[in-house]
Amino acid sequence: MRVARSSHENYAWQMLLAMFLADLPWVQSLIASPAFWAGSVFQIWMLIDAARRKEWLWMAFMLVMPIFGTFWYFVYVYWNSPSATRGFELPGAFDRRRIKELQAQIHHLDKAHHYFQLGDIYFQQGKLDKAEACYRAALERESQDLDTRAHLGQCLLRQKRPAEALPLLQAVCAEDPKHDYGHSLMGLAEALAGTGQTDAAIQTWQQVTAHHDYARARVQLAELYLATQQPDLARAELDEVLQDAPHLPAFQRKRERFWVRRACQLRRRLN
């Protein structure tokens, strides 16, 4: 009996080996395919993102249906997920090397503008607590710097602290209404709206849209028009955003994408 069982097991293993060898050319061609590796890297990227968000069901879906599940996670979760600073970009870029350079300069020189630049990088990364600490450190060394006060106000806004941001942004805009190409004035409008001063916020947004075509400004002005039962005015602002969107330069289209998408949602609601 043992001999018969052993021969049966050997036969089963031989069959499995034969099946594997028969499929070997297909496996080799799959591994050699750039599309296979690109798709694998993309799936791993989405799986890591889902793990960070604790989206366990989505992770299981992507593992069971790799192509379909990964694509839908990217479209419905990753692409549409809001972040603390999406749509609120300040001028400037960031990278790890620059952070190390600024940290070294701060250690050796302790200058206000180095703290300010590091704060901007942390702001872009969404590390708002670190950004706030850097801006405050800069103000301790140069208390009247206009840029630092404005960006600290923007940082506090993103942390949902409009009452703290308001006096900073009011002072900046009183001194220079065009500061940061209208970004500080937009921050002031958001702070006014966040503290319940709707009429003042509308007036400030109107001041912005009179000089700039930022989708961020027009969409939030439209939202306030809707909140105050002025749908026709809201519709006009949203239509302006949607008409301008296809003609924006590539860099601006990417920056305004969050607000253009929001304008589409509001416009459909008005229909």
Side-chain angles (χ1 to χ4, degrees):
M1 291 290 292
R2 289 181 181 176
V3 173
R5 183 180 303 170
S6 177
S7 62
H8 179 73
E9 290 176 353
N10 288 337
Y11 176 75
W13 280 112
Q14 290 172 0
M15 290 296 295
L16 287 173
L17 180 60
M19 292 172 63
F20 173 77
L21 292 175
D23 289 337
L24 192 57
W26 179 83
V27 173
Q28 290 175 337
S29 65
L30 179 65
I31 292 175
S33 169
F36 169 78
W37 289 108
S40 299
V41 170
F42 180 68
Q43 185 184 22
I44 292 170
W45 175 27
M46 291 297 100
L47 284 169
I48 292 172
D49 184 80
R52 287 175 175 172
R53 300 174 192 269
K54 298 183 179 180
E55 295 281 1
W56 312 123
L57 289 177
W58 273 107
M59 288 184 68
F61 185 40
M62 284 188 280
L63 290 170
V64 173
M65 304 182 68
I67 298 175
F68 182 79
T70 303
F71 173 76
W72 281 111
Y73 176 83
F74 176 78
V75 171
Y76 282 101
V77 179
Y78 182 85
W79 188 262
N80 286 319
S81 61
S83 71
T85 59
R86 184 172 296 170
F88 301 94
E89 291 84 359
L90 294 175
F94 64 86
D95 56 32
R96 292 179 182 176
R97 184 175 60 186
R98 183 58 180 153
I99 289 176
K100 290 181 180 179
E101 289 174 356
L102 287 169
Q103 288 172 337
Q105 289 169 336
I106 286 169
H107 178 74
H108 293 293
L109 303 174
D110 195 39
K111 296 293 186 180
H113 66 276
H114 293 144
Y115 281 102
F116 168 75
Q117 291 171 17
L118 185 58
D120 275 359
I121 292 172
Y122 284 138
F123 184 100
Q124 293 287 359
Q125 291 181 333
K127 298 176 181 177
L128 300 179
D129 290 341
K130 289 185 176 182
E132 180 186 350
C134 287
Y135 291 141
R136 292 194 184 281
L139 287 176
E140 288 175 4
R141 290 154 181 81
E142 198 170 329
S143 61
Q144 297 305 310
D145 184 75
L146 205 63
D147 292 337
T148 305
R149 286 184 287 151
H151 289 199
L152 175 58
Q154 298 275 13
C155 183
L156 293 170
L157 274 177
R158 305 288 80 77
Q159 295 180 82
K160 303 186 186 304
R161 294 155 63 185
E164 296 176 59
L166 183 58
L168 287 164
L169 293 166
Q170 280 178 324
V172 168
C173 293
E175 190 171 337
D176 181 8
K178 298 180 180 179
H179 182 260
D180 253 357
Y181 305 99
H183 281 80
S184 297
L185 198 60
M186 289 194 289
L188 175 58
E190 290 172 350
L192 290 166
T195 54
Q197 302 178 59
T198 303
D199 291 340
I202 288 175
Q203 291 175 4
T204 306
W205 282 125
Q206 289 171 339
Q207 187 178 350
V208 175
T209 57
H211 298 94
H212 303 281
D213 289 325
Y214 295 129
R216 169 185 168 188
R218 294 193 181 280
V219 170
Q220 293 193 73
L221 177 56
E223 289 176 328
L224 290 180
Y225 282 146
L226 288 173
T228 54
Q229 306 301 316
Q230 302 179 76
D232 291 338
L233 293 176
R235 188 178 292 107
E237 296 296 336
L238 295 172
D239 287 345
E240 188 78 20
V241 171
L242 298 176
Q243 289 168 9
D244 288 347
H247 308 290
L248 295 174
F251 77 93
Q252 191 174 355
R253 187 160 54 246
K254 181 178 179 181
R255 187 172 58 193
E256 301 277 37
R257 183 168 53 202
F258 176 88
W259 297 108
V260 173
R261 190 179 302 131
R262 179 64 178 156
C264 289
Q265 294 170 348
L266 291 172
R267 194 62 180 84
R268 284 197 297 269
R269 190 184 305 173
L270 281 171
N271 289 338

